[in-house]
Structures are given as structure tokens and as C-alpha cells.
Amino acid sequence: MDDNSANALRLTHHFAGPPALVWAIWTRPDLIRSWFGSSHGFRAHDIAVDLRPGGTWSLRNVNGDVTEHVSGTYHEVEAPNRLVYSYHFEGTDFFSIISADLVPEGDGTRLHFLQTGFPDAQARVEHARGWPHALRVMGDALLAMHGVGTLWPALPEKTHIDGVARDLEAARERLAREAAQ
């Protein structure tokens, strides 16, 4: 059976960092906060992650007076290469499944992303706008870690994730400024 292109969002993205680091950005609450909902001006709060098959995740996404509660269940957790989880906006009929496959590619990582189960075409359009922005925030932070950018130019060999949250925040702010111009 062919994919229903109106109900599936496929993206690929190259990150300048190893799969373990991209995995951390994708799964650690302190790092998720910077990129989740960033394209729409939201900020994630109260992030809970029980990273195991059958474990759940949840967060409260806030933009001014608007609050969304988003949650799901992890179906596959194969660190640092594959993550499959459900994605639900509470109080709505929005239930989707996301799979993220992280494949080593040279010195970096190739992400193969798939989200299915959109309740309508508009939901797919909004996520097709949002995910590339979030991936760009993540990628910008990883580039900064490798000395391309302004945050860590003197630390190209940095391999631990301390400070990644600062880089994600800086990437988010940079992209917000660009979007405002």
C-alpha cells in the first residue's frame, strides 16, 4: 500500500554531531525545552520523559495565554538509533505516531523522520512548517558545538552535552530574530 501523502510527513536532515548527541537533544527534558514548539512561539514546560518501551512522555506547551498539553507513549527505544512514539494533543482528536531513525553519516548523523496520523490537512501543514524549524534549532546548536557559530568556537572537540541547552536556546533566539525580520 502506498503512503497517503496527505497524512504522512517525511523529512531527512543531516546533523553535525554523532547519533548519541542528537539522541540526547531529542530525548532529554532539559534539551527538549528549547526546540519543542519553537516554530510557533511556544515554550515547553513540565517535561516528563520515561524513556523505555511503554514509558510515557508529556509536556505543557505555552505561548502567552495559549497552553497545550502534549503527551504520548514510547513504542520503540533503541538508543541512539531509533525512537518511535505516539504524539497526542490532549482534548483533541490529534493522535499521531513519530519515528526518528538516526544513522551515522560521516562525522555526523542523518535523521529519517516520519510522522503519520494527522487528523486533517491543516495539522499536517502546521507540522510540516514546525518540524523543519525545530530541526534547524537542533542543528544550529550542534554546529556551535563544533566551532561553527558563536557559542563554543574554542571547543571543537567538546563531546559531552553540558552547555547544549545554552546552544539550543541561542539557536532558538537567532531563528526567532531572523523570522521577525
Side-chain angles (χ1 to χ4, degrees), residues 20-129:
L21 188 53
V22 177
W23 178 269
I25 288 172
W26 203 272
T27 60
R28 284 190 41 168
D30 54 330
L31 303 179
I32 292 168
R33 182 175 193 275
S34 294
W35 59 263
F36 195 97
S38 61
S39 66
H40 291 76
F42 282 88
R43 171 68 67 178
H45 298 273
D46 306 325
I47 302 166
V49 172
D50 181 8
L51 192 60
R52 61 182 175 82
T56 61
W57 68 275
S58 63
L59 57 82
R60 183 173 52 89
N61 219 16
V62 179
N63 182 356
D65 293 337
V66 178
T67 298
E68 301 171 334
H69 294 274
V70 189
S71 63
T73 300
Y74 291 106
H75 301 289
E76 295 180 46
V77 179
E78 299 170 15
N81 301 109
R82 181 164 171 78
L83 187 64
V84 179
Y85 58 97
S86 61
Y87 184 98
H88 171 61
F89 285 95
E90 293 178 17
T92 74
D93 60 354
F94 189 113
F95 290 90
S96 68
I97 298 291
I98 291 175
S99 64
D101 290 293
L102 304 173
V103 180
E105 184 177 81
D107 290 338
T109 301
R110 173 69 55 187
L111 165 70
H112 298 279
F113 173 94
L114 172 64
Q115 184 174 8
T116 61
F118 297 102
D120 55 46
Q122 185 60 33
R124 185 193 178 285
V125 166
E126 288 300 318
H127 282 78
R129 181 178 132 220

